[in-house]
Amino acid sequence: MTHRTLHISGVTRRFGSKTAVDNVTLDIAPGQFVGIIGSSGAGKSTLLRLLNRMVEPSSGEIRFGHREVTKLKARALREWRRECAMIFQQFNLIERLDVLTNVLVGRIAAHGFASSMVMRFSDAERQMAIEALDRLGMTEHALQRAGTLSGGQQQRVAIARALVQKPQIMLADEPIASLDPGNATRVMDALRSINREDGLTVLVNLHTLDTAREYCDRIVAMRTGRIVFDGVAGQLTREVVRDIYGGAGTDEFNEAITSTRLPLPELALA
Amino acid sequence: MRQRTTLAALALFAALFVASSLMSDFFKVTQVTLPDGSRAWRWLISAGMPRLGEYIEMTLPTLRWQSFLSDLAEWFWRWDIWLRLLVETILIAFMATTLGVIGGFLLSFPASRNLAPNRWVLWISRRYLEIARTVPELVWALIFVFCFGVGPMAGVLAIGLHACGALGKLYSEVNENIDMRPLDGVKAAGGSWFDQIRYGAVPQVLPNIISYTLLRFEGNVRSSSIIGYVGAGGLGQEFRTAMSLQDYTDLSALFLILFVTVAVIDWGSEKVRHRFIEKENHR
Ligand SMILES: Nc1ncnc2c1ncn2[C@@H]1O[C@H](COP(=O)(O)OP(=O)(O)OP(=O)(O)O)[C@@H](O)[C@H]1O
Ligand SMILES: [Mg+2]
């Protein structure tokens, strides 16, 4: 399975004098569920966006198996973006278009100019979109305008769009940060089922430690652009956490502060 | 600090006012002949005002109650030609609006700071739109009459080009205020630049584009009614003929035709725009 391993080697990204991602090296095995944590500005979003080349690296190299992601151009680059789908904190749907069309956008990399401009999709593609919506319990909203849905519903539409891309990797940039606890759980559960049932590699940026602990096989922590922790949930001791967040909460650092969930069961794990 | 800026602005305004009024003979005095035959100095504006009345009076037709219909027929004696030219005027406006909308719409995306694929494309499309709208329609018309000869073709191109520049600028301002997140989503799904525009930007700007377009059509009808003055088709040529032949009552007839047409089109397009906006808000 090494041909599906994601290799990040020595990747750096600077914005002016600011180094957002600083010499990061990571190997991500296929099928892993990886959580990336760290305080605001640590470089989590930048790292994810480097992976699908929404942000270009200042130096370093990213490979997927033997493919050099950092060298891809034009059509091959778009094909790579199809292969590593991304969902966002703000969902990034087209609010004025209906849910079905939003999901069909996931097929766009496979389309030529003309069929894409007139928004013509095949029956097979529609079928695929409906199946994806069905899986997320959103079929009944297929013809509704995306902007009229609640945040949790929009995020599920975004996941359906990602699914019809038939990706190998799923990148999620704080997918639950603007959701209430109930919706947050549904979205995380959807990501887990995609990971377990479809075997997709999942990389998810999280603000909430307890969520990371509950869902992730592996947790990577960033601080000022660098990787400061890489291990399993059990290794995230109180001292390590304090170090990751720069003593933000001092000794009283409480995971629940950054949590969107009811903190009771997770706290016992710490 | 703010006071000083205000003062400076006021001073600049005063200077511009004085300069332009001097240049346009606003304070000029002139000699007039009084009713008793003597000459006197008068302010140009007050001396000229009565002549406006005289001019308007000259253009008024004689309409008598007893022979109203025949008087009316005499006033609108060239009605068949005028009707044909009126239709031509509206068609020129329609074609020109269509061309302007297509051109302006397509160019508005590369001409938007947030959407242009690179700065060269941005620079070129912005300069093109600038030139297209800075040169007045009448000047474009003169140029196109020279190229393509007298006729409505020149008018369509002239008004269309100007509309393209003006609309492209307006549309690109709308584009620059859109939410970029949907475009990010399309890009992350493997969409090209065109896909991002088509799916991410167009649905957001469409309502605005439609109402600007209708407004522009109203404006283009006004322009196409005058453009014939330089031979570019439409009713304008009749103004010129009437003036040179000193058929003063024709002028008032033409004016009336245009006034009614423009009023009807304004009214209609406003109705359509409002219904459209209402529908949008209820979606
Ligand atoms: N496009 C950009 N231009 C300039 N600076 C940027 C840009 N994107 C990110 N940065 C900077 O890089 C650093 C890392 O940003 P990034 O968004 O990756 O952090 P993050 O860990 O995702 O934070 P958050 O939890 O707030 O989302 C920040 O200091 C940010 O200001
Ligand atoms: Mg972020």
Side-chain angles (χ1 to χ4, degrees), chain A residues 49 52 54 78 81-82 86 88 90 92-94 96-97 105 108-109 113 116-117 119 121 145 161 165, chain B residues 179-192 194-195 198-200 203-205 207 280 283:
Chain A
R49 293 170 75 84
N52 65 352
M54 298 285 277
R78 291 174 53 199
R81 291 197 181 125
R82 179 196 66 71
M86 184 176 232
F88 305 81
Q90 295 298 332
N92 295 15
L93 298 179
I94 304 137
R96 304 185 66 90
L97 296 185
V105 165
I108 213 132
F113 180 78
S116 162
M117 289 300 110
M119 296 192 176
F121 296 92
R145 282 221 301 185
R161 172 169 76 186
Q165 290 179 227
Chain B
D179 177 6
M180 291 299 284
R181 286 178 302 203
L183 284 86
D184 221 34
V186 175
K187 185 177 181 185
S192 62
F194 291 100
D195 296 331
R198 176 69 185 91
Y199 290 80
Q204 289 188 63
V205 300
E280 266 307 306
R283 274 193 65 177

Short mmCIF file of all heavy atoms in Angstrom, two decimals, chain A residues 49 52 54 78 81-82 86 88 90 92-94 96-97 105 108-109 113 116-117 119 121 145 161 165, chain B residues 179-192 194-195 198-200 203-205 207 280 283:
data_model
loop_
_atom_site.label_atom_id
_atom_site.label_comp_id
_atom_site.label_asym_id
_atom_site.label_seq_id
_atom_site.Cartn_x
_atom_site.Cartn_y
_atom_site.Cartn_z
N ARG A 49 -3.96 23.09 3.27
CA ARG A 49 -4.10 23.70 1.94
C ARG A 49 -2.85 23.49 1.09
O ARG A 49 -2.92 23.59 -0.13
CB ARG A 49 -4.45 25.17 2.08
CG ARG A 49 -5.86 25.37 2.67
CD ARG A 49 -6.14 26.81 3.03
NE ARG A 49 -6.39 27.63 1.86
CZ ARG A 49 -7.58 27.74 1.26
NH1 ARG A 49 -8.61 27.08 1.74
NH2 ARG A 49 -7.73 28.49 0.20
N ASN A 52 -3.48 20.02 -0.86
CA ASN A 52 -4.21 19.99 -2.13
C ASN A 52 -3.80 21.15 -3.03
O ASN A 52 -4.52 21.50 -3.97
CB ASN A 52 -5.72 19.95 -1.92
CG ASN A 52 -6.27 21.19 -1.25
OD1 ASN A 52 -5.49 22.05 -0.81
ND2 ASN A 52 -7.57 21.30 -1.18
N MET A 54 -3.82 24.27 -2.68
CA MET A 54 -4.55 25.53 -2.68
C MET A 54 -3.57 26.62 -2.23
O MET A 54 -3.81 27.80 -2.42
CB MET A 54 -5.75 25.47 -1.73
CG MET A 54 -6.78 24.42 -2.10
SD MET A 54 -7.80 24.88 -3.48
CE MET A 54 -9.00 25.91 -2.64
N ARG A 78 -5.61 19.59 -11.16
CA ARG A 78 -7.05 19.53 -10.86
C ARG A 78 -7.47 18.10 -10.53
O ARG A 78 -8.31 17.88 -9.66
CB ARG A 78 -7.84 20.06 -12.06
CG ARG A 78 -7.66 21.55 -12.27
CD ARG A 78 -8.33 22.01 -13.54
NE ARG A 78 -9.71 21.59 -13.58
CZ ARG A 78 -10.44 21.52 -14.69
NH1 ARG A 78 -9.90 21.86 -15.85
NH2 ARG A 78 -11.68 21.12 -14.64
N ARG A 81 -6.58 17.48 -7.01
CA ARG A 81 -7.54 18.09 -6.08
C ARG A 81 -8.80 17.24 -6.00
O ARG A 81 -9.44 17.17 -4.96
CB ARG A 81 -7.88 19.52 -6.51
CG ARG A 81 -6.71 20.45 -6.34
CD ARG A 81 -7.17 21.91 -6.37
NE ARG A 81 -6.02 22.78 -6.21
CZ ARG A 81 -5.70 23.74 -7.06
NH1 ARG A 81 -6.46 23.97 -8.12
NH2 ARG A 81 -4.64 24.48 -6.84
N ARG A 82 -9.19 16.62 -7.10
CA ARG A 82 -10.35 15.73 -7.06
C ARG A 82 -10.05 14.56 -6.13
O ARG A 82 -10.91 14.11 -5.37
CB ARG A 82 -10.68 15.20 -8.46
CG ARG A 82 -11.88 14.24 -8.44
CD ARG A 82 -12.01 13.42 -9.68
NE ARG A 82 -10.93 12.46 -9.90
CZ ARG A 82 -10.73 11.36 -9.19
NH1 ARG A 82 -11.53 11.05 -8.20
NH2 ARG A 82 -9.71 10.56 -9.46
N MET A 86 -11.77 18.30 -0.03
CA MET A 86 -11.62 19.15 1.15
C MET A 86 -12.97 19.67 1.60
O MET A 86 -13.80 20.04 0.79
CB MET A 86 -10.70 20.33 0.82
CG MET A 86 -10.39 21.21 2.01
SD MET A 86 -9.21 22.51 1.59
CE MET A 86 -7.99 22.30 2.86
N PHE A 88 -14.70 22.48 4.59
CA PHE A 88 -14.26 23.71 5.24
C PHE A 88 -15.11 24.05 6.46
O PHE A 88 -16.24 23.61 6.59
CB PHE A 88 -14.38 24.88 4.26
CG PHE A 88 -13.67 24.69 2.96
CD1 PHE A 88 -14.24 23.94 1.94
CD2 PHE A 88 -12.42 25.25 2.74
CE1 PHE A 88 -13.59 23.77 0.73
CE2 PHE A 88 -11.77 25.08 1.53
CZ PHE A 88 -12.35 24.34 0.53
N GLN A 90 -16.51 26.89 7.00
CA GLN A 90 -17.69 27.64 6.56
C GLN A 90 -18.41 26.96 5.40
O GLN A 90 -19.15 27.60 4.66
CB GLN A 90 -17.30 29.07 6.18
CG GLN A 90 -16.78 29.89 7.35
CD GLN A 90 -17.82 30.05 8.44
OE1 GLN A 90 -19.02 30.04 8.19
NE2 GLN A 90 -17.37 30.17 9.69
N ASN A 92 -18.44 26.47 2.46
CA ASN A 92 -18.09 26.91 1.10
C ASN A 92 -18.99 26.34 0.01
O ASN A 92 -18.54 26.01 -1.08
CB ASN A 92 -16.62 26.59 0.77
CG ASN A 92 -15.67 27.37 1.66
OD1 ASN A 92 -16.09 27.92 2.66
ND2 ASN A 92 -14.43 27.43 1.28
N LEU A 93 -20.27 26.25 0.30
CA LEU A 93 -21.22 25.84 -0.73
C LEU A 93 -21.62 27.07 -1.54
O LEU A 93 -21.38 28.20 -1.14
CB LEU A 93 -22.46 25.22 -0.09
CG LEU A 93 -22.26 23.96 0.73
CD1 LEU A 93 -23.58 23.49 1.31
CD2 LEU A 93 -21.63 22.85 -0.11
N ILE A 94 -22.28 26.81 -2.68
CA ILE A 94 -22.84 27.91 -3.47
C ILE A 94 -24.28 28.08 -2.99
O ILE A 94 -25.15 27.30 -3.35
CB ILE A 94 -22.79 27.59 -4.96
CG1 ILE A 94 -21.35 27.25 -5.36
CG2 ILE A 94 -23.33 28.73 -5.78
CD1 ILE A 94 -21.26 26.07 -6.27
N ARG A 96 -26.73 30.01 -3.51
CA ARG A 96 -27.86 30.30 -4.39
C ARG A 96 -28.23 29.13 -5.30
O ARG A 96 -29.22 29.19 -6.00
CB ARG A 96 -27.57 31.53 -5.25
CG ARG A 96 -27.21 32.76 -4.44
CD ARG A 96 -27.05 33.94 -5.34
NE ARG A 96 -28.32 34.29 -5.94
CZ ARG A 96 -29.18 35.14 -5.40
NH1 ARG A 96 -28.89 35.72 -4.27
NH2 ARG A 96 -30.32 35.41 -5.99
N LEU A 97 -27.41 28.09 -5.31
CA LEU A 97 -27.74 26.92 -6.13
C LEU A 97 -28.34 25.83 -5.25
O LEU A 97 -28.11 25.80 -4.04
CB LEU A 97 -26.50 26.39 -6.85
CG LEU A 97 -25.86 27.33 -7.87
CD1 LEU A 97 -24.71 26.64 -8.58
CD2 LEU A 97 -26.87 27.84 -8.88
N VAL A 105 -20.99 19.55 -8.23
CA VAL A 105 -19.73 20.27 -8.40
C VAL A 105 -18.55 19.34 -8.12
O VAL A 105 -17.47 19.48 -8.69
CB VAL A 105 -19.69 21.54 -7.51
CG1 VAL A 105 -18.29 22.10 -7.40
CG2 VAL A 105 -20.63 22.59 -8.06
N ILE A 108 -16.86 17.98 -11.20
CA ILE A 108 -16.47 18.95 -12.20
C ILE A 108 -15.10 18.70 -12.83
O ILE A 108 -14.88 19.01 -14.00
CB ILE A 108 -16.55 20.35 -11.57
CG1 ILE A 108 -16.97 21.35 -12.63
CG2 ILE A 108 -15.27 20.77 -10.95
CD1 ILE A 108 -18.04 22.21 -12.12
N ALA A 109 -14.21 18.09 -12.06
CA ALA A 109 -12.86 17.86 -12.59
C ALA A 109 -12.90 16.94 -13.79
O ALA A 109 -12.03 16.98 -14.66
CB ALA A 109 -11.96 17.28 -11.50
N PHE A 113 -15.01 21.75 -20.90
CA PHE A 113 -15.42 23.14 -20.75
C PHE A 113 -16.91 23.34 -20.99
O PHE A 113 -17.63 23.87 -20.14
CB PHE A 113 -14.61 24.02 -21.70
CG PHE A 113 -14.96 25.46 -21.63
CD1 PHE A 113 -14.48 26.25 -20.58
CD2 PHE A 113 -15.76 26.05 -22.59
CE1 PHE A 113 -14.81 27.59 -20.51
CE2 PHE A 113 -16.10 27.39 -22.52
CZ PHE A 113 -15.62 28.16 -21.47
N SER A 116 -19.47 21.70 -18.57
CA SER A 116 -19.37 22.33 -17.27
C SER A 116 -20.05 23.70 -17.26
O SER A 116 -20.77 24.05 -16.33
CB SER A 116 -17.90 22.46 -16.88
OG SER A 116 -17.74 23.41 -15.87
N MET A 117 -19.85 24.48 -18.35
CA MET A 117 -20.42 25.82 -18.39
C MET A 117 -21.95 25.79 -18.43
O MET A 117 -22.60 26.65 -17.87
CB MET A 117 -19.90 26.60 -19.61
CG MET A 117 -18.45 27.00 -19.52
SD MET A 117 -18.08 28.08 -18.11
CE MET A 117 -17.14 26.97 -17.08
N MET A 119 -23.71 23.44 -17.11
CA MET A 119 -24.09 22.64 -15.95
C MET A 119 -24.81 21.37 -16.36
O MET A 119 -25.86 21.03 -15.81
CB MET A 119 -24.99 23.44 -15.00
CG MET A 119 -24.31 24.65 -14.39
SD MET A 119 -25.32 25.33 -13.03
CE MET A 119 -24.28 26.64 -12.42
N PHE A 121 -24.95 17.47 -16.39
CA PHE A 121 -24.38 16.30 -15.74
C PHE A 121 -25.14 15.06 -16.20
O PHE A 121 -26.34 15.13 -16.48
CB PHE A 121 -24.46 16.45 -14.22
CG PHE A 121 -23.63 17.59 -13.70
CD1 PHE A 121 -24.19 18.84 -13.52
CD2 PHE A 121 -22.29 17.42 -13.42
CE1 PHE A 121 -23.42 19.91 -13.07
CE2 PHE A 121 -21.51 18.48 -12.96
CZ PHE A 121 -22.09 19.73 -12.78
N ARG A 145 -32.51 25.25 -1.99
CA ARG A 145 -31.32 26.08 -2.12
C ARG A 145 -30.40 25.85 -0.93
O ARG A 145 -30.84 25.84 0.22
CB ARG A 145 -31.72 27.56 -2.12
CG ARG A 145 -32.27 28.01 -3.46
CD ARG A 145 -31.78 29.37 -3.86
NE ARG A 145 -32.11 30.41 -2.92
CZ ARG A 145 -31.84 31.69 -3.15
NH1 ARG A 145 -31.25 32.06 -4.26
NH2 ARG A 145 -32.16 32.60 -2.27
N ARG A 161 -20.60 16.32 -1.47
CA ARG A 161 -19.85 16.82 -2.62
C ARG A 161 -18.46 16.20 -2.65
O ARG A 161 -17.97 15.77 -3.70
CB ARG A 161 -19.74 18.35 -2.55
CG ARG A 161 -18.81 18.92 -3.61
CD ARG A 161 -18.90 20.41 -3.71
NE ARG A 161 -18.21 21.09 -2.61
CZ ARG A 161 -18.25 22.40 -2.42
NH1 ARG A 161 -18.94 23.17 -3.23
NH2 ARG A 161 -17.59 22.95 -1.42
N GLN A 165 -16.53 13.12 -5.45
CA GLN A 165 -15.22 13.28 -6.08
C GLN A 165 -14.50 11.94 -6.17
O GLN A 165 -13.47 11.84 -6.82
CB GLN A 165 -14.36 14.29 -5.30
CG GLN A 165 -14.84 15.72 -5.41
CD GLN A 165 -13.98 16.69 -4.62
OE1 GLN A 165 -14.50 17.53 -3.89
NE2 GLN A 165 -12.66 16.59 -4.75
N ASP B 179 -18.69 36.89 -2.08
CA ASP B 179 -18.09 35.98 -1.12
C ASP B 179 -17.21 35.01 -1.88
O ASP B 179 -17.66 34.35 -2.82
CB ASP B 179 -19.25 35.25 -0.42
CG ASP B 179 -18.77 34.21 0.59
OD1 ASP B 179 -17.55 34.14 0.82
OD2 ASP B 179 -19.64 33.50 1.13
N MET B 180 -15.93 34.93 -1.50
CA MET B 180 -14.99 34.10 -2.25
C MET B 180 -15.02 32.63 -1.82
O MET B 180 -14.42 31.77 -2.47
CB MET B 180 -13.57 34.64 -2.11
CG MET B 180 -13.34 35.98 -2.79
SD MET B 180 -13.61 35.91 -4.57
CE MET B 180 -12.10 35.08 -5.10
N ARG B 181 -15.69 32.32 -0.73
CA ARG B 181 -15.63 30.95 -0.23
C ARG B 181 -16.21 29.91 -1.18
O ARG B 181 -15.62 28.84 -1.34
CB ARG B 181 -16.31 30.88 1.15
CG ARG B 181 -15.45 31.51 2.22
CD ARG B 181 -16.14 31.49 3.56
NE ARG B 181 -17.42 32.18 3.47
CZ ARG B 181 -18.05 32.70 4.52
NH1 ARG B 181 -17.52 32.62 5.72
NH2 ARG B 181 -19.21 33.30 4.37
N PRO B 182 -17.35 30.21 -1.85
CA PRO B 182 -17.86 29.22 -2.82
C PRO B 182 -16.84 28.92 -3.91
O PRO B 182 -16.70 27.77 -4.34
CB PRO B 182 -19.10 29.88 -3.39
CG PRO B 182 -19.54 30.86 -2.37
CD PRO B 182 -18.29 31.34 -1.70
N LEU B 183 -16.07 29.94 -4.34
CA LEU B 183 -15.07 29.72 -5.38
C LEU B 183 -13.96 28.81 -4.87
O LEU B 183 -13.43 27.97 -5.59
CB LEU B 183 -14.48 31.05 -5.86
CG LEU B 183 -15.36 31.87 -6.79
CD1 LEU B 183 -16.30 32.75 -6.00
CD2 LEU B 183 -14.54 32.69 -7.74
N ASP B 184 -13.62 29.01 -3.60
CA ASP B 184 -12.62 28.16 -2.96
C ASP B 184 -13.09 26.71 -2.97
O ASP B 184 -12.30 25.79 -3.24
CB ASP B 184 -12.44 28.64 -1.52
CG ASP B 184 -11.00 28.65 -1.10
OD1 ASP B 184 -10.15 28.94 -1.95
OD2 ASP B 184 -10.73 28.36 0.09
N GLY B 185 -14.37 26.52 -2.67
CA GLY B 185 -14.94 25.18 -2.66
C GLY B 185 -14.87 24.52 -4.03
O GLY B 185 -14.50 23.35 -4.14
N VAL B 186 -15.20 25.28 -5.07
CA VAL B 186 -15.16 24.74 -6.43
C VAL B 186 -13.73 24.40 -6.83
O VAL B 186 -13.45 23.35 -7.41
CB VAL B 186 -15.78 25.73 -7.44
CG1 VAL B 186 -15.64 25.21 -8.85
CG2 VAL B 186 -17.25 25.99 -7.11
N LYS B 187 -12.81 25.29 -6.45
CA LYS B 187 -11.40 25.05 -6.78
C LYS B 187 -10.89 23.79 -6.09
O LYS B 187 -10.21 22.96 -6.71
CB LYS B 187 -10.57 26.26 -6.32
CG LYS B 187 -9.11 26.19 -6.71
CD LYS B 187 -8.42 27.47 -6.28
CE LYS B 187 -6.96 27.46 -6.67
NZ LYS B 187 -6.27 28.65 -6.14
N ALA B 188 -11.27 23.61 -4.83
CA ALA B 188 -10.81 22.44 -4.08
C ALA B 188 -11.38 21.15 -4.64
O ALA B 188 -10.84 20.07 -4.42
CB ALA B 188 -11.18 22.59 -2.60
N ALA B 189 -12.51 21.25 -5.37
CA ALA B 189 -13.09 20.05 -5.97
C ALA B 189 -12.45 19.74 -7.32
O ALA B 189 -12.86 18.81 -8.01
CB ALA B 189 -14.60 20.22 -6.13
N GLY B 190 -11.46 20.54 -7.72
CA GLY B 190 -10.78 20.30 -8.99
C GLY B 190 -11.30 21.17 -10.11
O GLY B 190 -11.08 20.88 -11.28
N GLY B 191 -12.02 22.24 -9.78
CA GLY B 191 -12.58 23.13 -10.81
C GLY B 191 -11.52 24.05 -11.40
O GLY B 191 -10.60 24.47 -10.71
N SER B 192 -11.68 24.34 -12.70
CA SER B 192 -10.78 25.29 -13.36
C SER B 192 -11.20 26.71 -13.00
O SER B 192 -12.19 26.91 -12.31
CB SER B 192 -10.89 25.11 -14.87
OG SER B 192 -12.21 25.41 -15.28
N PHE B 194 -12.53 28.83 -14.98
CA PHE B 194 -13.85 29.03 -15.56
C PHE B 194 -14.94 28.39 -14.70
O PHE B 194 -16.02 28.96 -14.53
CB PHE B 194 -13.91 28.47 -16.99
CG PHE B 194 -13.08 29.26 -17.95
CD1 PHE B 194 -11.81 28.83 -18.33
CD2 PHE B 194 -13.55 30.46 -18.47
CE1 PHE B 194 -11.04 29.57 -19.20
CE2 PHE B 194 -12.79 31.21 -19.35
CZ PHE B 194 -11.53 30.76 -19.72
N ASP B 195 -14.66 27.19 -14.17
CA ASP B 195 -15.63 26.54 -13.29
C ASP B 195 -15.89 27.38 -12.03
O ASP B 195 -17.02 27.51 -11.58
CB ASP B 195 -15.13 25.16 -12.85
CG ASP B 195 -14.98 24.19 -14.02
OD1 ASP B 195 -15.74 24.35 -14.99
OD2 ASP B 195 -14.10 23.31 -13.96
N ARG B 198 -18.08 30.21 -13.11
CA ARG B 198 -19.42 29.78 -13.50
C ARG B 198 -20.25 29.34 -12.29
O ARG B 198 -21.42 29.69 -12.18
CB ARG B 198 -19.30 28.62 -14.50
CG ARG B 198 -20.63 28.00 -14.91
CD ARG B 198 -21.42 28.99 -15.74
NE ARG B 198 -22.75 28.50 -16.05
CZ ARG B 198 -23.83 28.74 -15.30
NH1 ARG B 198 -23.70 29.42 -14.18
NH2 ARG B 198 -25.00 28.29 -15.65
N TYR B 199 -19.64 28.56 -11.40
CA TYR B 199 -20.41 28.01 -10.28
C TYR B 199 -20.32 28.89 -9.03
O TYR B 199 -21.29 29.02 -8.30
CB TYR B 199 -19.92 26.60 -9.93
CG TYR B 199 -20.28 25.58 -11.00
CD1 TYR B 199 -19.53 25.46 -12.15
CD2 TYR B 199 -21.40 24.77 -10.84
CE1 TYR B 199 -19.88 24.55 -13.14
CE2 TYR B 199 -21.75 23.85 -11.82
CZ TYR B 199 -20.98 23.74 -12.96
OH TYR B 199 -21.33 22.85 -13.93
N GLY B 200 -19.15 29.46 -8.79
CA GLY B 200 -18.97 30.22 -7.56
C GLY B 200 -19.41 31.67 -7.66
O GLY B 200 -20.05 32.20 -6.75
N PRO B 203 -23.70 32.75 -9.99
CA PRO B 203 -24.97 32.73 -9.24
C PRO B 203 -25.07 33.87 -8.24
O PRO B 203 -26.17 34.36 -7.97
CB PRO B 203 -24.94 31.39 -8.52
CG PRO B 203 -24.00 30.55 -9.29
CD PRO B 203 -22.96 31.48 -9.84
N GLN B 204 -23.94 34.32 -7.71
CA GLN B 204 -23.98 35.41 -6.73
C GLN B 204 -24.28 36.75 -7.37
O GLN B 204 -24.94 37.60 -6.78
CB GLN B 204 -22.64 35.54 -6.01
CG GLN B 204 -22.35 34.42 -5.03
CD GLN B 204 -21.11 34.73 -4.21
OE1 GLN B 204 -21.07 35.70 -3.45
NE2 GLN B 204 -20.08 33.93 -4.34
N VAL B 205 -23.77 36.98 -8.59
CA VAL B 205 -23.89 38.32 -9.18
C VAL B 205 -25.09 38.47 -10.11
O VAL B 205 -25.46 39.59 -10.46
CB VAL B 205 -22.60 38.72 -9.93
CG1 VAL B 205 -21.42 38.73 -8.99
CG2 VAL B 205 -22.32 37.81 -11.10
N PRO B 207 -28.44 38.47 -10.06
CA PRO B 207 -29.54 39.42 -9.83
C PRO B 207 -29.13 40.86 -10.10
O PRO B 207 -29.85 41.61 -10.76
CB PRO B 207 -29.89 39.22 -8.36
CG PRO B 207 -29.38 37.88 -8.01
CD PRO B 207 -28.19 37.64 -8.86
N GLU B 280 -36.68 37.79 -6.37
CA GLU B 280 -35.40 37.38 -5.79
C GLU B 280 -35.48 37.32 -4.27
O GLU B 280 -35.00 36.40 -3.65
CB GLU B 280 -34.31 38.37 -6.20
CG GLU B 280 -33.56 37.97 -7.43
CD GLU B 280 -33.00 36.57 -7.32
OE1 GLU B 280 -32.29 36.29 -6.33
OE2 GLU B 280 -33.30 35.75 -8.20
N ARG B 283 -37.23 34.26 -2.87
CA ARG B 283 -36.74 32.90 -3.13
C ARG B 283 -36.17 32.25 -1.90
O ARG B 283 -35.59 32.89 -1.06
CB ARG B 283 -35.68 32.92 -4.23
CG ARG B 283 -36.32 32.84 -5.60
CD ARG B 283 -35.28 32.55 -6.65
NE ARG B 283 -34.70 31.23 -6.46
CZ ARG B 283 -33.80 30.72 -7.30
NH1 ARG B 283 -33.40 31.39 -8.33
NH2 ARG B 283 -33.29 29.52 -7.08
#
